[in-house]
Amino acid sequence: METIVISGANRGIGLELAKQFLNAGNRVIAGCRNPANATALRALAGNDLLTILPLDVAVTQSITTFCQQLSHETIAVLINNAGVMGGDKQGMHEMDYAAWATTLAINTFAPFQLATALLPNLKRTQRPRIVTLSSKMGAFNLPMHHGTYAYRSSKTAVSKVMQVLAWELESEGVIVCPVHPGWVRTDMGGDKADISAAESAAGLFNLINSMTMEHSGRFWTWQGIEHPW
Ligand SMILES: NC(=O)c1ccc[n+]([C@@H]2O[C@H](COP(=O)([O-])OP(=O)(O)OC[C@H]3O[C@@H](n4cnc5c(N)ncnc54)[C@H](OP(=O)(O)O)[C@@H]3O)[C@@H](O)[C@H]2O)c1
């Protein structure tokens, strides 16, 4: 049994990850903005292995408080899942800069803050893993796309942040990987997307369980295939 921390665990991929790690007998510490309204997550709460804590990753103090509450915990895996697509106006002719800044705070800064704050807890385990839901939409190799500047730049940045963190933590045996979960049928991915949240989470579950230092500092898909940066 391992302890897994998941941000944004109340719906979408995060909720499915929580389910699958719980079903495999792990402890899950699920962070979400409004635990009282997190109906689907709370429905799993009959499970003694689940702890639900408030966490708004757009708010630095909320992340600090969340991590302080976990100070006694030994954490094997941190999954930075919480994310936003960004505002409606993120095109060449129309940009909402405040929304872009919030997108960066949620998608880029928060994963770094959570990872560094929980490092002491992670280092108490044999095989600590920091896994961050990035996206191939932030990869430089994806050609010929337009718009969604806020989302794409936040994911490019978080992939780079995790690559640097992987290098810095290599000597301490901490595995750090950005991952692409596929195009997933969630509120974010929409109903035309390729795969269900359960399929994405199942792939990520296998990948996370199999991760070694060989994986660290590299970008992976939910199928366990290395993705070009
Ligand atoms: N779906 C896809 O096709 C796809 C593809 C590539 C990458 N991804 C990435 O995968 C991750 C999960 O995506 P998803 O499809 O499951 O998205 P989703 O269905 O929109 O769910 C997003 C989750 O993030 C949480 N969240 C957003 N802002 C937050 C904040 N400030 N504090 C705490 N939690 C917050 C949401 O909580 P609330 O309910 O409180 O809003 C929700 O639980 C994201 O990082 C996304 O960028 C998704």
Side-chain angles (χ1 to χ4, degrees):
M1 183 180 78
E2 294 186 312
T3 298
I4 320 293
V5 173
I6 305 172
S7 66
N10 56 301
R11 61 186 167 97
I13 300 166
L15 176 66
E16 282 299 327
L17 285 166
K19 263 188 216 169
Q20 295 191 21
F21 276 101
L22 285 169
N23 287 345
N26 296 287
R27 271 191 73 218
V28 169
I29 299 171
C32 64
R33 279 197 276 206
N34 292 305
N37 297 337
T39 317
L41 181 60
R42 281 154 52 89
L44 311 174
N47 196 322
D48 292 344
L49 297 173
L50 176 65
T51 304
I52 304 175
L53 293 175
L55 173 64
D56 185 339
V57 300
V59 180
T60 301
Q61 185 55 50
S62 173
I63 298 176
T64 303
T65 304
F66 176 79
C67 295
Q68 282 168 348
Q69 285 174 287
L70 303 186
S71 59
H72 59 287
E73 297 282 358
T74 296
I75 297 167
V77 184
L78 164 65
I79 304 179
N80 284 308
N81 166 78
V84 289
M85 197 66 204
D88 293 336
K89 296 174 188 169
Q90 45 175 315
M92 191 166 66
H93 302 294
E94 211 180 17
M95 177 56 72
D96 180 341
Y97 288 97
W100 193 350
T102 302
T103 305
L104 287 167
I106 293 170
N107 292 0
T108 309
F109 307 159
F112 180 76
Q113 192 189 344
L114 278 164
T116 51
L118 294 177
L119 206 46
N121 311 68
L122 288 155
K123 285 203 231 166
R124 290 175 194 149
T125 64
Q126 292 293 315
R127 192 165 58 106
R129 282 146 285 167
I130 297 168
V131 176
T132 299
L133 283 270
S134 182
S135 172
K136 75 175 192 180
M137 283 180 71
F140 281 101
N141 84 315
L142 196 68
M144 300 298 287
H145 275 267
H146 55 86
T148 52
Y149 286 89
Y151 184 73
R152 286 175 194 280
S153 60
S154 71
K155 293 300 188 182
T156 309
V158 82
S159 288
K160 187 67 196 179
V161 164
M162 291 300 148
Q163 187 192 47
V164 176
L165 201 55
W167 286 330
E168 285 213 75
L169 293 174
E170 188 179 4
S171 62
E172 300 178 60
V174 182
I175 300 162
V176 186
C177 295
V179 296
H180 170 63
W183 183 25
V184 189
R185 290 189 293 276
T186 60
D187 293 337
M188 183 184 289
D191 53 17
K192 293 192 172 58
D194 293 334
I195 56 172
S196 67
E199 287 172 277
S200 174
L204 293 171
F205 174 86
N206 289 334
L207 174 66
I208 291 166
N209 283 331
S210 68
M211 275 178 180
T212 67
M213 283 308 289
E214 284 295 303
H215 288 80
S216 197
R218 295 157 71 184
F219 183 25
W220 299 93
T221 72
W222 85 105
Q223 293 168 307
I225 297 166
E226 189 165 11
H227 196 290
W229 294 105

